[in-house]
């Protein structure tokens, strides 16, 4: 009888333990998959070679997770305990431990922490230092400088040397290849020499993730490959009947469209003007090509064109020569390439500034002259010079 009681009590205790264990497992699963404790966004930084144990303690200390043990156990259960990826990752408020494990083992570009950005623009190049504010999820600028005009601030030098800093390069639409090369030469986080300036128009304006000490020539190759891909894709999707025999001719037109307007919605209309002119045997008569012939793409003219320059015959003076200039005059973005290959269907042959940042388009010389007169009046009201010539396309 006593052994029967002992067995019965043991069985009861075992059942209780199993129920408690099942409850604990269910609770742990809910803790692992449920909303996390942090009410604000958190920047989770994974150091190179960090262990799961160290990361779990770090996350618990910063309040991103409720239990380091459950985090480790969950990562083990998901078979991802050895898959940690170096980087800095922004976690949204109430991110679960499961979501955090997925993010820090999937990897990819860092989404928070310190960021150094080289911005190559049409008028200047800038290197920025930014840090993300976890509470807002937005980057806040800490420092900046022009690499062509002085030494880097100490804060930017220190950020470039940090292992977990994210480094990017952004190329603006309409910058020339010479401007790109100057920007890359001034970036201390890149390495290697640049043997020659890439062909004009061959580099894709975009944002590029950069490895520290990445070779400058290798980065230019990446930019050229992306532009070639974009051009091929847009060329393949073009309609029939355009006045281009080659992709290069389309790229030349795209660069002109890029330099003629800063209003995105105008690009197809601007392209239509130049396509209509080509089809009717008219000269393009566009100022940006003349400017490129003067500067060679090395910097900005920073003054109006002189009539003597418009009257001088050069390969890029589309007031004096027929057809397209011999090369692109800048690096156009995808939108301008698409506009050049998909121009709006219009009867426009002229356009001129309208005072709003955009342009007034005209079908006839009479319409164009009226638009020019309105623009001259706007210039007079603003106290600007009205001596610079306005002809043809631009």
């Amino acid at each position: 009888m006593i052994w029967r009681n002992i067995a019965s009590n043991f069985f009861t205790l075992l059942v209780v333990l199993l129920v408690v264990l099942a409850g604990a497992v269910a609770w742990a699963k809910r803790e692992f998959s449920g909303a996390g404790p942090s009410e604000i966004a958190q920047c989770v930084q994974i150091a190179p070679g960090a262990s799961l144990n160290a990361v779990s303690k770090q996350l618990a200390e910063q309040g991103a997770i409720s239990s380091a043990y459950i985090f480790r156990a969950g990562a083990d259960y998901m078979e991802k305990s050895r898959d940690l990826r170096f980087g800095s990752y922004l976690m949204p408020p109430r991110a679960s431990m499961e979501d955090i494990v997925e993010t820090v083992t999937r990897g990819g570009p860092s989404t928070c922490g310190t960021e150094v950005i080289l911005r190559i623009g049409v008028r200047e190049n800038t290197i920025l230092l930014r840090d993300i504010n976890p509470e807002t999820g937005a980057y806040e600028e800490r420092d900046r400088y022009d690499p062509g005009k002085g030494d880097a601030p100490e804060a930017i030098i220190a950020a470039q040397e940090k292992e977990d800093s994210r480094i990017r390069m952004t190329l603006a639409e309409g910058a020339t290849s010479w401007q790109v090369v100057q920007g890359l030469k001034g970036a201390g986080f890149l390495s290697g020499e640049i043997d020659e300036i890439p062909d004009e128009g061959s580099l894709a304006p975009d944002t590029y993730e950069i490895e520290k000490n990445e070779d400058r020539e290798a980065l230019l190759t990446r930019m050229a490959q992306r532009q070639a891909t974009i051009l091929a894709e847009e060329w393949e999707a073009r309609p029939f009947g355009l006045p281009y025999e080659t992709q290069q001719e389309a790229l030349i037109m795209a660069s002109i469209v890029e330099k003629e307007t800063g209003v995105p919605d105008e690009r197809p209309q601007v392209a239509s003007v130049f396509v209509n002119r080509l089809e009717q045997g008219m000269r393009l008569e566009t100022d940006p090509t003349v400017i490129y012939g003067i500067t060679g793409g090395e910097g900005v003219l920073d003054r109006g064109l002189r009539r003597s320059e418009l009257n001088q015959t050069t390969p890029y003076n589309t007031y004096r020569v027929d057809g397209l200039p011999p090369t692109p005059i800048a690096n156009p973005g995808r939108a301008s390439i698409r506009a050049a290959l998909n121009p709006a269907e219009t009867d426009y042959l002229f356009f001129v500034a309208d005072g709003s940042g955009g342009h007034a388009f005209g079908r006839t010389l009479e319409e164009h002259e009226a638009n020019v007169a309105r623009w001259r009046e706007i210039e007079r009201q603003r106290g600007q010079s009205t001596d610079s010539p306005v002809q043809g396309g631009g």
Side-chain angles (χ1 to χ4, degrees):
M1 177 68 78
I2 188 169
W3 291 110
R4 184 180 296 175
N5 289 335
I6 292 173
S8 177
N9 290 336
F10 176 77
F11 180 75
T12 300
L13 180 61
L14 181 61
V15 170
V16 171
L17 288 174
L18 288 175
V19 170
V20 171
L21 179 61
V25 170
W27 172 81
K29 285 184 177 180
R30 288 195 300 272
E31 281 291 297
F32 185 71
S33 302
S38 179
E39 296 183 357
I40 63 171
Q42 293 260 11
C43 188
V44 174
Q45 296 181 315
I46 308 300
S51 67
L52 180 63
N53 184 56
V55 169
S56 63
K57 289 180 179 179
Q58 167 196 327
L59 293 174
E61 289 173 359
Q62 71 183 76
I65 62 175
S66 58
S67 169
Y69 175 77
I70 293 175
F71 183 84
R72 291 195 301 272
D76 282 334
Y77 180 78
M78 295 172 68
E79 298 183 347
K80 294 189 174 184
S81 59
R82 298 180 180 274
D83 296 337
L84 291 174
R85 297 288 184 266
F86 158 69
S88 300
Y89 309 100
L90 183 65
M91 301 297 171
R94 296 291 187 181
S96 68
M97 286 187 266
E98 184 176 19
D99 290 338
I100 294 174
V101 170
E102 287 284 359
T103 300
V104 301
T105 57
R106 182 174 59 246
S110 295
T111 54
C112 70
T114 300
E115 183 176 69
V116 180
I117 307 174
L118 167 62
R119 289 180 177 172
I120 299 178
V122 173
R123 302 193 68 86
E124 65 178 4
N125 299 323
T126 307
I127 292 182
L128 301 177
L129 173 61
R130 308 193 308 176
D131 278 319
I132 202 162
N133 183 333
E135 294 186 5
T136 64
Y139 276 100
E140 297 178 352
E141 184 177 320
R142 285 179 50 201
D143 212 338
R144 69 163 58 202
Y145 83 107
D146 183 340
K149 296 181 179 178
D151 297 329
E154 291 184 6
I156 291 182
I157 294 174
Q160 291 173 178
E161 294 175 350
K162 287 176 60 179
E163 289 188 350
D164 62 344
S165 291
R166 181 186 188 189
I167 298 180
R168 295 191 295 160
M169 187 276 289
T170 298
L171 172 59
E173 297 167 333
T176 66
S177 293
W178 180 87
Q179 290 169 326
V180 174
V181 168
Q182 297 309 302
L184 297 186
K185 285 181 176 179
F189 46 76
L190 296 173
S191 65
E193 301 296 325
I194 298 176
D195 294 332
E196 57 184 28
I197 296 174
D199 291 341
E200 198 66 82
S202 66
L203 307 175
D206 207 338
T207 296
Y208 298 83
E209 296 287 337
I210 295 177
E211 297 290 336
K212 290 178 185 176
N213 295 316
E214 181 169 349
D215 183 74
R216 292 179 174 87
E217 288 281 6
L219 178 55
L220 287 171
T221 298
R222 274 207 286 151
M223 298 164 71
Q225 290 172 341
R226 187 170 300 183
Q227 188 76 318
T229 298
I230 291 170
L231 182 58
E233 290 173 352
E234 297 298 332
W235 179 262
E236 185 67 23
R238 76 192 187 283
F240 293 107
L242 294 173
Y244 317 125
E245 294 184 1
T246 65
Q247 292 185 25
Q248 180 69 3
E249 290 183 353
L251 189 64
I252 293 171
M253 178 63 81
S255 72
I256 296 174
V257 172
E258 191 71 78
K259 298 299 285 187
E260 275 286 11
T261 181
V263 180
D265 292 344
E266 276 193 354
R267 289 181 177 122
Q269 290 176 291
V270 170
S272 76
V273 170
F274 294 125
V275 167
N276 291 342
R277 282 178 160 260
L278 286 177
E279 290 177 339
Q280 295 190 28
M282 298 174 65
R283 289 175 176 167
L284 297 184
E285 297 186 348
T286 169
D287 291 357
T289 62
V290 183
I291 293 171
Y292 189 84
I294 296 169
T295 66
E298 298 184 7
V300 180
L301 189 60
D302 266 340
R303 61 169 174 79
L305 284 168
R306 303 185 179 102
R307 190 164 296 279
S308 61
E309 291 167 336
L310 290 168
N311 291 335
Q312 184 180 6
T313 300
T314 74
Y316 289 91
N317 187 346
T318 51
Y319 289 89
R320 305 292 293 175
V321 298
D322 298 332
L324 295 164
T327 72
I329 59 172
N331 289 289
R334 183 187 283 269
S336 290
I337 293 174
R338 181 170 295 170
L341 289 166
N342 294 272
E345 294 185 11
T346 75
D347 298 326
Y348 296 139
L349 293 171
F350 307 90
F351 62 90
V352 68
D354 65 1
S356 69
H359 293 86
F361 295 84
R363 296 172 177 82
T364 65
L365 184 58
E366 289 74 21
E367 286 184 14
H368 180 57
E369 289 175 342
N371 290 334
V372 169
R374 281 192 288 272
W375 170 237
R376 293 301 195 200
E377 180 59 29
I378 291 172
E379 285 186 311
R380 277 191 289 271
Q381 292 174 0
R382 293 176 176 176
Q384 298 173 341
S385 170
T386 60
D387 296 333
S388 59
V390 176
Q391 297 174 254

